Amino acid sequence: MTHGATPAAQQAALRHVVVLGSPGAGSFTTAVAQAYCDEVRACGQVAEIRDLYAMGFNALLANSERPTAPDYRQPPDVAAELAVLETAAVISFVYPLWVGMPPAIIKGYIDRVLGAGFEEPERRSGDRVSTLRGKRLLSFSASASTRPWLEEHGQWTSIRQGIDSYLSTVFELVDGGHVHFDSIVEGVSESYVRQCLADVREVARRTCAAVLSERHARQNDARRLQLSH
């Protein structure tokens, strides 16, 4: 970022990548992803949806993609996704819960793309260095079950610890929270859906404000450091 960049230019550089794992073009989770992106753009920042089903994303991790494989290589589709993520200030996962867990395509994306986000040769030496360090991680999920039911059966804790907290720790991401919408069933009332999407937009506004504030703080720190020399 140049010293004389305008506020609009600063905001435009802040990118939000939304990884959507929903097979239905008219699904509730698709509407969540779109509402989030619409609000991010209204805040003057950049948003992009990576619709995994529409892209035909291959969720299967090949043996040659494992870091210990003697013929290790990074496939072009993984390299392309990493290039997108590396430009992001915020990475959001949006998905329904099926049988209490995210769809397999989301887990495949984590395995193949985030799992490839370690630099060589650190990966082989065991010194993990994430190329995603410092980016903000958000999650949005929806289920037919209620949140209390998920908590009672241990699924909510499993998702928060096994996905959100784990990813934040391993990939050095900032945990931006997890928003869950329950009782999303066929025939759900339009007023409930509107309220859910309003909540999504509010989260988007708060997130935009947070990453912009963080950007300004980093710029101010850099300027102070520059002036001290």
Side-chain angles (χ1 to χ4, degrees), residues 16 18 20 27-43 47 49 90 92-95 138-142 176 178-182 184 192-208:
H16 299 241
V18 177
L20 173 62
S27 69
F28 173 81
T29 41
T30 299
V32 167
Q34 192 60 61
Y36 180 88
C37 288
D38 288 346
E39 196 61 34
V40 166
R41 292 167 188 143
C43 291
I49 296 178
V90 181
S92 297
F93 282 94
V94 181
Y95 53 81
L138 280 175
S139 295
F140 296 90
S141 60
H178 188 134
V179 180
H180 180 71
F181 301 104
D182 59 11
I184 302 298
Y192 179 55
V193 171
R194 283 196 299 271
Q195 181 56 57
C196 291
L197 297 183
D199 292 343
V200 171
R201 289 189 286 270
E202 175 58 29
V203 171
R205 286 191 291 271
R206 291 201 307 265
T207 302
C208 286

Side-chain angles (χ1 to χ4, degrees), residues 1-2 5-16 44-47 86-90 135 211-212 215 218-219:
M1 186 68 61
T2 60
T6 65
Q10 292 172 353
Q11 287 184 302
L14 292 169
R15 300 180 62 86
H16 299 241
Q45 298 181 18
V46 178
E86 286 168 11
T87 67
V90 181
K135 300 181 187 300
V211 295
L212 184 58
R215 170 66 59 83
R218 288 194 298 270
Q219 290 174 338

Side-chain angles (χ1 to χ4, degrees), residues 151-228:
E151 291 176 347
E152 180 183 351
H153 291 81
Q155 291 306 118
W156 182 247
T157 299
S158 175
I159 292 166
R160 282 293 284 150
Q161 292 184 351
I163 298 178
D164 303 326
S165 296
Y166 181 82
L167 294 182
S168 296
T169 299
V170 171
F171 299 108
E172 302 176 78
L173 297 160
V174 177
D175 188 350
H178 188 134
V179 180
H180 180 71
F181 301 104
D182 59 11
S183 303
I184 302 298
V185 295
E186 192 71 28
V188 63
S189 72
E190 291 184 9
S191 61
Y192 179 55
V193 171
R194 283 196 299 271
Q195 181 56 57
C196 291
L197 297 183
D199 292 343
V200 171
R201 289 189 286 270
E202 175 58 29
V203 171
R205 286 191 291 271
R206 291 201 307 265
T207 302
C208 286
V211 295
L212 184 58
S213 177
E214 290 164 2
R215 170 66 59 83
H216 287 163
R218 288 194 298 270
Q219 290 174 338
N220 289 336
D221 288 344
R223 287 167 186 157
R224 282 194 293 268
L225 183 62
Q226 195 174 42
L227 290 172
S228 68

